[in-house]
Amino acid sequence: MKPIRLATTAAMALTVFAGPAAHATPPAQADTLRDAAPGGLAIGSAVAGGGHHEDAQYPDPFTSDQPYRDVLSSEFSSLSPENQMKWEYIHPQRDTYDFEAADRIVDFAERNVQEVRGHTLLWHSQNPDWLENGDFTPEQLRDILHEHISTVVGRYAGRIEQWDVANEIFDGNGQLRTQDNIWIRELGPGIIADAFRWAHEADPSAKLFFNDYGVEAINAKSDAYYELTRQLRAEGVPVEGFSAQAHLNLEDGFPADLTRNLQRFADLGLETAITELDVRLTPPESGTPTEEQLAEQADYYARTLQACLRVRTCHSFTVWGLPDKYSWVPSTFPEQGAATIMWDDFTRKPAYHSLLDTLAAARS
Ligand code: 9MR
């Protein structure tokens, strides 16, 4: 599914039916991110639900907040379930799958001509207790993972553009998570290749990704991905993408070599993507970010988008949710927040405008 091409077709049809007068008037500046994006670049958002929302005052924004749904459909051409396809939600008991929330998102995306990024299949976190504490033999665990991947990827075959097959498998030093990742600990690193093979069998059309945070720059962790993807591809394993989540923090500085880093993966023949962008900051005591913070945040958003625009294989650029009230950030970093591109009433922050302007500039 290529929604952007459809959008272009719709725009062309409009020009045709608008008659000669339309040619005299320059096309209006696109006013949403999805309309402003150049052809071939999907602009996405995470869809809130599950996870930290469970204990928040907003139980399920996706089913209860119509203005939120309107923003998701009007602004974005790609959606990523923030939690709804993770093991603990989609596979709550060994013999039970719960596809309700995930189906809702995929159906919504289809109605609104949006791509979907599937997230995620092999991860150390948000696994159900029955799995983590199940005392399974290695053979049983292998069968469980195989069945899960075949079932979940197979259910949405042809409807999901990109899958985060393996999420966050390396630590900050570029070492495989051999302790906290149940799959790698119990089955060894070879299970990673199998996960990609099984996903490919279940949906040959989906692009299969490694996805992680802290890999925006060239560093030990992104080097580890570079080596692993090179090796797996040489062995014929269907690894097709590398994505940087991009959970940025004004206090950490901007990863200035982001373009160069994505480019080296593109040079290996991989798709690249930005999958979970947000830019957190520590507001002053009033709780409201300063003008300077908002301007700097806008600059981080724009520079991340520019990096994606510069790399030929970067076809997907996703922000990790909005508005601030639905962001995961304050539940994890209590002093920080204001990380998204919209205020709580869905009005646009400077960061939103910087994305829109960057897209408009890329098109012209
Ligand atoms: O945003 C997600 C939040 O609602 C969950 O509580 C949290 C649990 O780990 O996961 C968050 O999403 C993470 C994503 O799945 C993987 N990359 C890091 C994201 C932020 O923690």
Side-chain angles (χ1 to χ4, degrees), residues 46 49-53 81-83 86 88-89 119-120 123 125-126 167-168 211-213 245 247 276 278 320 326-329 331-333:
H52 71 281
H53 306 276
E82 185 175 7
N83 294 290
K86 293 172 179 173
E88 65 176 349
Y89 295 95
H119 177 79
T120 179
W123 193 23
S125 181
Q126 287 185 282
N167 195 42
E168 304 172 2
N211 182 57
D212 211 327
Y213 63 88
Q245 294 177 5
H247 291 292
E276 306 185 12
D278 49 24
W320 205 237
Y326 297 152
S327 164
W328 68 288
V329 167
S331 60
T332 305
F333 303 101

Side-chain angles (χ1 to χ4, degrees), residues 210-270:
F210 279 114
N211 182 57
D212 211 327
Y213 63 88
V215 293
E216 293 71 35
I218 295 179
N219 56 30
K221 201 178 191 179
S222 60
D223 282 351
Y225 278 103
Y226 186 78
E227 278 314 310
L228 181 63
T229 48
R230 210 176 46 77
Q231 186 193 323
L232 291 176
R233 284 171 66 81
E235 291 166 10
V237 179
V239 175
E240 294 161 296
F242 169 77
S243 48
Q245 294 177 5
H247 291 292
L248 305 182
N249 178 358
L250 285 189
E251 282 152 37
D252 293 341
F254 187 81
D257 51 0
L258 175 59
T259 306
R260 215 150 51 83
N261 187 35
L262 295 180
Q263 186 60 52
R264 67 175 172 156
F265 286 91
D267 292 342
L268 283 182
L270 290 160

Side-chain angles (χ1 to χ4, degrees), residues 37-48:
L41 177 64
I43 307 292
S45 171
V47 176

Side-chain angles (χ1 to χ4, degrees), residues 64-332:
S64 60
D65 183 344
Q66 190 56 42
Y68 174 66
R69 292 163 61 85
D70 292 344
V71 166
L72 286 182
S73 56
S74 60
E75 291 289 346
F76 298 101
S77 49
S78 176
L79 298 179
S80 302
E82 185 175 7
N83 294 290
Q84 301 88 335
M85 286 186 184
K86 293 172 179 173
W87 273 73
E88 65 176 349
Y89 295 95
I90 212 164
H91 198 165
Q93 301 297 331
R94 186 171 179 185
D95 300 317
T96 310
Y97 288 88
D98 180 353
F99 293 114
E100 207 183 310
D103 281 357
R104 256 200 303 268
I105 294 172
V106 178
D107 290 345
F108 179 94
E110 238 154 48
R111 279 200 305 280
N112 293 294
V113 199
Q114 294 167 304
E115 295 181 0
V116 177
R117 293 198 82 265
H119 177 79
T120 179
L121 301 168
L122 184 155
W123 193 23
H124 64 274
S125 181
Q126 287 185 282
N127 288 325
D129 282 346
W130 70 262
L131 174 67
E132 289 283 345
N133 305 316
D135 221 9
F136 297 111
T137 66
E139 291 70 29
Q140 285 174 319
L141 269 182
R142 219 181 122 75
D143 288 349
I144 287 170
L145 183 64
H146 191 173
E147 187 221 78
H148 178 92
I149 291 179
S150 305
T151 304
V152 176
V153 177
R155 180 175 182 91
Y156 300 110
R159 305 172 75 194
I160 292 204
E161 204 75 14
Q162 306 187 342
W163 262 108
D164 292 332
V165 173
N167 195 42
E168 304 172 2
I169 57 165
F170 288 109
D171 67 18
N173 300 318
Q175 302 299 314
L176 275 178
R177 289 184 188 259
T178 50
Q179 294 312 306
D180 56 354
N181 185 309
I182 179 175
W183 310 110
I184 301 173
R185 183 182 67 230
E186 302 299 326
L187 301 172
I191 194 63
I192 297 163
D194 286 332
F196 279 91
R197 292 192 188 102
W198 294 332
H200 185 67
E201 274 163 25
D203 184 358
S205 67
K207 293 270 184 232
L208 306 182
F209 277 69
F210 279 114
N211 182 57
D212 211 327
Y213 63 88
V215 293
E216 293 71 35
I218 295 179
N219 56 30
K221 201 178 191 179
S222 60
D223 282 351
Y225 278 103
Y226 186 78
E227 278 314 310
L228 181 63
T229 48
R230 210 176 46 77
Q231 186 193 323
L232 291 176
R233 284 171 66 81
E235 291 166 10
V237 179
V239 175
E240 294 161 296
F242 169 77
S243 48
Q245 294 177 5
H247 291 292
L248 305 182
N249 178 358
L250 285 189
E251 282 152 37
D252 293 341
F254 187 81
D257 51 0
L258 175 59
T259 306
R260 215 150 51 83
N261 187 35
L262 295 180
Q263 186 60 52
R264 67 175 172 156
F265 286 91
D267 292 342
L268 283 182
L270 290 160
E271 282 285 306
T272 53
I274 299 294
T275 52
E276 306 185 12
L277 177 60
D278 49 24
V279 183
R280 59 187 189 268
L281 51 86
T282 310
E285 264 175 38
S286 66
T288 309
T290 66
E291 298 277 314
E292 290 73 26
Q293 285 177 317
L294 292 172
E296 202 184 356
Q297 179 185 58
D299 183 54
Y300 277 38
Y301 269 97
R303 287 165 78 183
T304 309
L305 176 56
Q306 278 157 6
C308 179
L309 286 163
R310 284 187 191 123
V311 176
R312 201 179 36 80
T313 70
C314 189
H315 296 117
S316 182
F317 173 90
T318 290
V319 298
W320 205 237
L322 78 196
D324 288 338
K325 65 182 171 186
Y326 297 152
S327 164
W328 68 288
V329 167
S331 60
T332 305

Side-chain angles (χ1 to χ4, degrees), residues 329-345:
V329 167
S331 60
T332 305
F333 303 101
E335 306 297 308
Q336 295 199 288
T340 80
I341 59 176
M342 285 192 181
W343 301 111
D344 285 350
D345 61 359

